[in-house]
Amino acid sequence: MKTPDDEAACGGEQRAFSRSYWEKNVQKPVAFQKNHTFKPVNVATHCPYCAFQCGIHLKGSREQAKVAGNATFPVNQGGLCIKGWTAPATLSHPDRLLTPLARQASGAFLPITWDEALSRIVQAFQEEQRRYGPHAVGIFGGGSLTNEKAYLLGKFARVALGTEHIDYNGRFCMSSAAAASIRAFGIDRGLPFPIEDVAHAEVILLIGSNIAETMPPMMQYIDQQQNRGGRLITVDPRTSTTARASALHLRLMPGTDAALANGLLHILIRDGLIDQNYIRTRTDDFDQIKAVAATYWPERVERITGVPEKQLVQAARMLGSARSAMILTARGVEQQSQGVNNTLAYINVALALGLMGRPYSGYGCLTGQGNGQGGREHGQKADQLPGYRKIDDPIAREHISQVWGIQESDLPGPGKSAYEMLTSIGQDNGIRSLLVMGSNIAVSVPDALHIEEKLKQLDFLVVADFFLSETAKLADIVLPVTQWAEEEGTMTNLEGRVILRKRAFDPPPGVRTEIDVLCELAWRMGKGQYFSFTDARQVFDELRQASAGGTADYSGITYERIEEQQGVFWPCPSEDHPGTPRLFQETFPTPTGRARFTVVKHAAPAEEPDADYPLYLTTGRVLTHYQSGSQTRRVGRLHDMMEEPFVEIHPSTARHYRLANGDLVKLSTRRGSIVLKVKVTRSIREDTIFVPFHWGGHLSVNRLTNPALDPTSRMPEFKICAVRIEPVEHAMEEN
């Protein structure tokens, strides 16, 4: 291993930094004593889970930390869900990783020092690139990473490794809505208005979201909206908790969203409920979509979607007669092989009604992951550079290369999307080594058994995590990293509000932040002069420069402003700029300054039921768990509330298969099988079954899901596939 003195060739300034970094971070791991006394804190920070990013007060010591809702934070106004209330339980969890681990020939893990772990990583990556070229090493990031870490991960891939292969799990969440928004509006920000506006909308059309369970603090705005006389329309194959709170529920057949949206547009045009002046002055290409909408008359749409004509007309007239209205989409409509077109079809409805830029109106995407918005803005997507710049744009490349101090020609080009990068393993010109940060791939991908086998084919896998997740169990090296309360950094919530996550506790001895890990690896690779950061604030200052002039411009945002203003909305191009809570009030960032309609025709899902697989399978979240469940499944209270997944089956379907509550049933698709307990409920369509996706191993529903990709966003079709169900004997439960 090199010492700081061996780095003299880097120059005096770099040598000084290297010595400081060495002394600060290179140390042997120390066991984390559970009886260690930590100074009690009282810190205003944010929940580690979803994109609502609720404000919280974290109080007490690490081992006895308690959470209270921050009533002064304007987003959640003190409200929290059960996951937020129990968030501190992970900080001192007995499963916590406290030292680097190395896989042995036997398959077991043994502790090693940070020095040995980092040396092995550098040696493996450099050997792979020497033998197979720079793109043999890939990076897989996550929507839970702070803006600083997401930015640095993208820079590390392109500068330290020189690889084009970097993508992240947000590709599986918001990518379809992002692509649709860019096509229609020229910009992708989940909500182009503050969440507080929701309470003032006269009508809300909510598609593919069960916010009462996935984002409970948002329901206070729905309650306020309804108390003012507003109405909620939900579109969902399930009669979810949210659907039961709505004035109208459109229980569509899975995979028919574009037909439903076109049907609504047909009725709006037919009944003279569109905004002709808005269409004429603020949009392009309406005549083209008008002709398509004419072919989606109500009777036809009823046959395609299963939604009665009466309800279609009722929904259209509720929207068309409202003084203010919002159309909000989420994963149900987006996680399909037609996800971009589905979203564009609903955007067409919003534009025809003239909603964009009007008070308490518009289209928005309910971003899911904690930093799903910021995570896709600053460089960890395969085709993007910081500031939401396209990596193949010469102007963008020149700007970023100047900020980073490299030659533009040294920047790699676009890489493969997340699923395509993973399936390239074992193929010519595919990745051979992989670094994973902020993601549990083995649970979150479609056709998970296939990808698990792909991960096992890697020459070298490195996973940075704070628990030994299902993905970490497959790694060659596991690096223990900080949790939410042990790090400082910014997040960008579903409104585009940049907020500050504050550090409450020092990390346990032997645990490091991802920023420290990436800087140390870069230094050992001879690229330390590009990674001379000692804290998150320094990274954010460079991120501000890199984003300046880009679509997602953070250059005017500072940590101080975030604290003073309870968050700052991007774009914010200068420190005297107020930020932009509401977009599109006067113009759109398109070449013409106008929004664009897009011709969309309904197309069938990639896989539909047939004689062998006669039902639809759809997946989603439940109240007590989050994403791959690596955190929430370890929280005792949440585990006790829901220990295992289940399959929702309609009573008539259950009778057909002679099933009752609690029976075991084998679910099979063309990709695999799992065995789950039955939950008989009228909340699901007769032709559809539902399974939550928060579990791994033999309980992972993503072993069954279809990896068919949207042609634009490369989003897999998580929400729809054909499935067969078969009763099984209780003795088969272990299967």
Side-chain angles (χ1 to χ4, degrees):
M1 180 178 178
K2 295 179 182 178
T3 69
D5 292 332
D6 294 328
E7 297 300 313
C10 294
E13 181 180 352
Q14 172 60 16
R15 184 172 181 271
F17 164 70
S18 299
R19 182 179 297 279
S20 172
Y21 196 85
W22 175 279
E23 293 170 352
K24 177 177 182 289
N25 289 299
V26 178
Q27 54 184 294
K28 292 184 178 180
V30 179
F32 177 36
Q33 302 298 321
K34 291 194 67 178
N35 60 359
H36 187 89
T37 301
F38 289 88
K39 182 179 178 180
V41 302
N42 186 351
V43 175
T45 185
H46 294 271
C47 176
Y49 292 116
C50 81
F52 222 64
Q53 283 299 287
C54 292
I56 63 173
H57 289 288
L58 185 60
K59 302 178 181 181
S61 65
R62 175 195 296 274
E63 293 182 337
Q64 298 179 336
K66 302 292 183 183
V67 162
N70 183 351
T72 68
F73 187 62
V75 178
N76 61 305
Q77 300 177 358
L80 294 175
C81 75
I82 184 65
K83 295 182 287 293
W85 289 115
T86 58
T90 62
L91 295 173
S92 296
H93 196 281
D95 289 351
R96 184 75 189 271
L97 296 175
L98 301 170
T99 182
L101 302 174
R103 177 180 296 281
Q104 308 303 300
S106 65
F109 284 108
L110 288 180
I112 58 173
T113 65
W114 272 100
D115 181 10
E116 185 177 2
L118 297 174
S119 294
R120 287 194 192 182
I121 295 168
V122 171
Q123 181 179 0
F125 285 178
Q126 290 184 333
E127 177 62 17
E128 292 279 54
Q129 292 186 313
R130 184 187 66 79
R131 295 180 64 186
Y132 304 107
H135 309 310
V137 180
I139 304 286
F140 201 102
S144 62
L145 300 178
T146 63
N147 289 316
E148 291 81 357
K149 290 190 285 188
Y151 169 82
L152 201 62
L153 194 61
K155 182 179 180 181
F156 179 82
R158 282 134 185 164
V159 176
L161 291 174
T163 181
E164 65 187 17
H165 290 312
I166 175 170
D167 212 66
Y168 81 129
N169 60 17
R171 180 74 65 175
F172 302 151
C173 294
M174 285 71 63
S175 61
S176 289
S181 292
I182 292 170
R183 171 72 180 85
F185 313 130
I187 193 171
D188 160 41
R189 198 180 84 185
L191 294 183
F193 43 73
I195 193 68
E196 65 193 49
D197 285 7
V198 169
H200 300 275
E202 190 172 313
V203 174
I204 298 171
L205 178 64
L206 178 67
I207 309 109
S209 177
N210 180 18
I211 56 174
E213 293 196 59
T214 62
M215 206 173 280
M218 184 175 172
M219 286 302 291
Q220 64 185 299
Y221 294 99
I222 301 298
D223 292 341
Q224 293 170 28
Q225 184 242 6
Q226 293 178 337
N227 290 338
R228 289 185 169 99
R231 292 169 292 175
L232 173 67
I233 307 168
T234 56
V235 179
D236 198 323
R238 302 172 65 219
T239 307
S240 65
T241 305
T242 309
R244 287 193 288 272
S246 61
L248 179 62
H249 174 210
L250 307 182
R251 200 174 188 182
L252 84 171
M253 185 183 298
T256 61
D257 285 283
L260 178 63
N262 283 348
L264 293 175
L265 185 57
H266 176 102
I267 297 166
L268 291 168
I269 295 171
R270 182 196 69 184
D271 293 355
L273 296 173
I274 60 175
D275 189 333
Q276 294 281 10
N277 183 61
Y278 185 96
I279 292 169
R280 183 174 60 257
T281 60
R282 300 208 58 192
T283 71
D284 290 323
D285 302 327
F286 176 69
D287 287 343
Q288 297 176 36
I289 68 108
K290 183 178 179 181
V292 172
T295 67
Y296 285 85
W297 55 90
E299 298 89 347
R300 181 190 179 206
V301 173
E302 179 176 344
R303 290 196 301 271
I304 295 172
T305 66
V307 177
E309 177 181 348
K310 181 179 178 180
Q311 290 188 346
L312 291 168
V313 173
Q314 184 182 358
R317 290 178 178 171
M318 286 169 66
L319 286 166
S321 61
R323 289 167 296 182
S324 59
M326 291 181 179
I327 297 177
L328 306 176
T329 65
R331 306 302 82 73
V333 65
E334 300 157 14
Q335 286 182 323
Q336 301 184 31
S337 61
Q338 300 292 321
V340 174
N341 276 349
N342 291 340
T343 308
L344 284 167
Y346 286 111
I347 288 174
N348 285 342
V349 176
L351 290 175
L353 290 169
L355 302 183
M356 307 307 296
R358 271 174 47 192
Y360 311 129
S361 299
Y363 161 79
C365 160
L366 298 178
T367 301
Q369 294 192 75
N371 199 31
Q373 181 69 57
R376 65 185 186 262
E377 294 169 359
H378 297 301
Q380 63 172 338
K381 282 184 73 174
D383 58 347
Q384 287 183 200
L385 291 171
Y388 227 135
R389 291 178 161 92
K390 297 292 289 183
I391 198 168
D392 54 3
D393 177 359
I395 297 175
R397 293 173 63 86
E398 181 62 27
H399 173 81
I400 296 300
S401 65
Q402 289 181 6
V403 173
W404 288 351
I406 63 174
Q407 295 296 314
E408 183 274 330
S409 58
D410 291 335
L411 274 177
K416 295 181 174 70
S417 71
Y419 187 79
E420 292 167 304
M421 178 170 66
L422 296 173
T423 56
S424 78
I425 298 168
Q427 299 177 357
D428 291 343
N429 299 318
I431 61 170
R432 304 185 67 92
S433 291
L434 183 66
L435 169 64
V436 180
M437 285 187 168
S439 186
N440 188 8
I441 297 171
V443 177
S444 63
V445 292
D447 197 6
L449 275 175
H450 173 62
I451 297 302
E452 183 176 325
E453 291 305 311
K454 285 286 187 179
L455 292 173
K456 291 177 181 178
Q457 293 175 29
L458 285 165
D459 295 340
F460 200 72
L461 174 61
V462 182
V463 175
D465 210 328
F466 38 85
F467 292 131
L468 197 64
S469 68
E470 286 81 358
T471 307
K473 289 176 182 178
L474 303 174
D476 296 284
I477 298 290
V478 182
L479 302 176
V481 292
T482 50
Q483 290 193 49
W484 59 282
E486 302 160 354
E487 60 187 13
E488 185 177 58
T490 59
M491 307 281 278
T492 307
N493 79 346
L494 78 170
E495 315 161 286
R497 183 195 302 260
V498 184
I499 54 96
L500 182 61
R501 175 184 285 178
K502 293 184 181 178
R503 180 169 173 165
F505 304 111
D506 289 336
V511 172
R512 299 190 188 179
T513 72
E514 287 94 335
I515 289 176
D516 290 345
V517 170
L518 292 172
C519 289
E520 175 71 9
L521 286 172
W523 176 75
R524 290 171 181 242
M525 292 175 176
K527 301 289 186 177
Q529 67 268 36
Y530 304 110
F531 293 84
S532 55
F533 306 106
T534 58
D535 57 32
R537 187 181 293 249
Q538 290 183 358
V539 179
F540 189 73
D541 285 342
E542 185 176 288
L543 181 158
R544 292 171 60 202
Q545 297 177 50
S547 73
T551 302
D553 192 332
Y554 283 33
S555 58
I557 303 176
T558 66
Y559 279 23
E560 290 75 20
R561 287 193 65 187
I562 294 171
E563 285 207 70
E564 291 169 4
Q565 299 173 214
Q566 296 272 40
V568 180
F569 290 86
W570 71 261
C572 183
S574 65
E575 291 191 35
D576 58 0
H577 189 282
T580 315
R582 295 174 178 86
L583 299 173
F584 314 137
Q585 292 180 303
E586 296 180 0
T587 188
F588 294 92
T590 63
T592 65
R594 298 153 70 96
R596 294 173 284 217
F597 285 97
T598 304
V599 171
V600 174
K601 297 182 180 179
H602 163 69
E607 186 176 88
E608 291 192 289
D610 56 23
D612 294 326
Y613 300 91
L615 298 172
Y616 289 104
L617 167 65
T618 191
T619 67
R621 285 173 50 191
V622 293
L623 173 67
T624 49
H625 291 291
Y626 182 72
Q627 300 302 80
S628 74
S630 182
Q631 297 171 75
T632 53
R633 283 186 275 124
R634 287 179 166 86
V635 176
R637 185 175 175 187
L638 301 180
H639 171 79
D640 292 344
M641 291 174 68
M642 188 167 291
E643 297 182 11
E644 60 185 6
F646 53 85
V647 51
E648 286 188 354
I649 300 178
H650 190 274
S652 66
T653 309
R655 284 193 298 271
H656 177 78
Y657 289 95
R658 299 181 180 179
L659 296 169
N661 264 323
D663 285 352
L664 290 175
V665 63
K666 181 180 180 181
L667 311 181
S668 300
T669 70
R670 291 176 173 85
R671 290 153 295 280
S673 301
I674 60 174
V675 175
L676 300 176
K677 288 182 180 179
V678 167
K679 179 180 179 181
V680 178
T681 174
R682 293 188 179 277
S683 68
I684 193 72
R685 288 175 55 97
E686 295 180 17
D687 57 5
T688 304
I689 62 174
F690 168 84
V691 179
F693 59 71
H694 309 290
W695 285 264
H698 70 284
L699 297 177
S700 172
V701 70
N702 275 332
R703 292 186 171 194
L704 313 186
T705 50
N706 191 355
L709 302 181
D710 181 284
T712 301
S713 67
R714 316 310 289 167
M715 166 76 81
E717 191 152 62
F718 289 100
K719 287 297 185 243
I720 308 163
C721 66
V723 65
R724 177 175 64 235
I725 62 176
E726 304 167 85
V728 298
E729 298 298 327
H730 286 272
M732 294 183 64
E733 185 168 3
E734 292 301 314
N735 295 337

